[in-house]
Amino acid sequence: MAAEAGSRRQRLRRATLQEIHTAARSLLVEQGSAAVTINAVARQVGMSGPALYHYYAGHDALVGAVTADFFHELATAMEHARDAHAAAPVGERILAVCRAMRAWVRTHPAEFGWIFASPIASPNRQPDSDRHQAGQRFEHVLLDLTVELWRTRPFPVPEPADLPESLREQLVAYSAGIDGRLPPGAAHVFLSCWTRLYGLLCMEVLHQLDFAYSDLEPVFEECLRDLADVLDL
C-alpha cells in the first residue's frame, strides 16, 4: 500500500508539473515572456506563489524546465522528418530536417524566441540540467547527420592553418567537445551552415525582412541550395 500511495503521489506530481508547464506556455504565447512569472503561473493553476516553489526553486528553474519541453518538441519534429526519409541519402535527410525545423519555428514563434533568444540562467548551463540535455538532443539531430555525411562523403573544408588563430583554437576546442567526430575544418563548415540557417530563421520569426519579403519560403529554399553546395551534396 505504501508503494501504491507513492505511485499515486508521483502521478499527481507529474500531472501538476504538466499543468504548470501548460500555464507557462499559455502566458508566453498570449502575453509574452515578461508575463511568465511565478505568481502568474501559480494563479493559472489555482495555487499560491509559495506553493509553486514546492515544484520549482524559482523562476530560472521554471524557465529551464519549460524550455526543455520546447527543445524536446522541436527535436521530435526534426527526428520525425529524418526518420520519414530513413532510406534516403543523408543529404536528403539533412534538407528534410532543416525544413521540419522551419515548419516548427513558424508555427511556434513565441517558443522559438523563448529557447533561442533568452539568456540561459546559470543553473540551466549545468550538464545534468534538463534544459542542457534537451538542447543537446536538439543539437545532435543535425550534428549526427553531418557526421554521417563527413564519414561517407567528406565535403570540402578549409585548411586549419588558413584560419585565423583565435578561430582555429575555438574550433579545436569544439571538435574536442564533440569527441572529435568532426575535425576542426569540418566543424567550421558545420557551424557556418548552422549560423546561416539559424540567422535566417531568426530574421523570419522576428519579421526583420518584412520590408522586402511577404513570403520567405523561396528565400529559405535558396539558402538550402547554398548550404547543399557548401556540403557538396
Side-chain angles (χ1 to χ4, degrees), residues 53-68:
Y53 285 101
H54 290 295
Y55 298 91
Y56 292 108
H59 182 262
D60 287 345
L62 172 61
V63 168
V66 176
T67 301

Side-chain angles (χ1 to χ4, degrees), residues 136 139-140 143 171-181:
Q136 289 280 293
E139 175 190 354
H140 279 271
L143 175 61
L171 291 169
V172 168
Y174 177 78
S175 177
I178 58 172
D179 300 322
R181 299 172 70 206

Side-chain angles (χ1 to χ4, degrees), residues 28-42:
L28 170 68
V29 171
E30 296 172 8
Q31 302 180 42
S33 59
V36 187
T37 66
I38 290 290
N39 287 334
V41 172

Side-chain angles (χ1 to χ4, degrees), residues 82 85-95 145 148-149 153 233:
R82 176 199 64 197
H85 298 78
V90 62
E92 291 186 27
R93 281 177 276 143
I94 288 174
L95 297 178
L145 288 170
E148 180 183 346
L149 177 64
R153 280 185 49 190
L233 301 182

Side-chain angles (χ1 to χ4, degrees), residues 5-18 55:
S7 177
R8 187 182 305 114
R9 283 195 297 270
Q10 291 173 358
R11 289 197 302 272
L12 289 172
R13 182 176 178 82
R14 286 195 297 268
T16 302
L17 287 172
Q18 183 57 56
Y55 298 91

Side-chain angles (χ1 to χ4, degrees), residues 2-229:
E4 183 179 345
S7 177
R8 187 182 305 114
R9 283 195 297 270
Q10 291 173 358
R11 289 197 302 272
L12 289 172
R13 182 176 178 82
R14 286 195 297 268
T16 302
L17 287 172
Q18 183 57 56
E19 192 175 357
I20 290 170
H21 290 200
T22 299
R25 185 174 198 162
S26 176
L27 288 166
L28 170 68
V29 171
E30 296 172 8
Q31 302 180 42
S33 59
V36 187
T37 66
I38 290 290
N39 287 334
V41 172
R43 283 195 299 271
Q44 288 280 95
V45 298
M47 65 172 63
S48 67
L52 197 142
Y53 285 101
H54 290 295
Y55 298 91
Y56 292 108
H59 182 262
D60 287 345
L62 172 61
V63 168
V66 176
T67 301
D69 283 352
F70 297 160
F71 265 126
H72 283 305
E73 189 176 308
L74 174 54
T76 296
M78 295 166 69
E79 289 165 353
H80 283 169
R82 176 199 64 197
D83 297 344
H85 298 78
V90 62
E92 291 186 27
R93 281 177 276 143
I94 288 174
L95 297 178
V97 163
C98 291
R99 292 184 178 111
M101 181 179 176
R102 177 174 181 260
W104 188 90
V105 167
R106 281 173 49 81
T107 309
H108 305 89
E111 292 90 334
F112 176 75
W114 182 280
I115 62 179
F116 288 113
S118 301
I120 304 172
S122 295
N124 295 308
R125 293 182 183 273
Q126 302 303 315
D128 60 347
S129 74
D130 291 342
R131 188 210 177 281
H132 180 83
Q133 293 179 5
Q136 289 280 293
R137 177 189 172 191
F138 160 73
E139 175 190 354
H140 279 271
V141 180
L142 272 175
L143 175 61
D144 290 349
L145 288 170
T146 306
V147 169
E148 180 183 346
L149 177 64
W150 173 252
R151 290 175 176 171
T152 56
R153 280 185 49 190
F155 41 85
V157 301
E159 291 292 336
D162 295 335
L163 298 172
E165 182 178 358
S166 174
L167 178 58
R168 184 169 63 251
E169 292 173 352
Q170 294 174 79
L171 291 169
V172 168
Y174 177 78
S175 177
I178 58 172
D179 300 322
R181 299 172 70 206
L182 291 175
H188 178 55
V189 173
F190 166 68
L191 293 171
S192 297
C193 290
W194 164 246
T195 300
R196 179 165 180 188
L197 180 70
Y198 167 64
L200 181 56
L201 289 174
C202 282
M203 295 188 78
E204 179 174 12
V205 169
L206 297 174
H207 302 284
Q208 294 299 306
L209 294 172
D210 286 3
F211 70 93
Y213 300 110
S214 59
D215 176 15
L216 273 169
E217 183 169 355
V219 178
F220 184 79
E221 288 298 320
E222 183 179 42
C223 175
L224 292 187
R225 284 193 294 273
D226 291 343
L227 298 186
D229 287 342

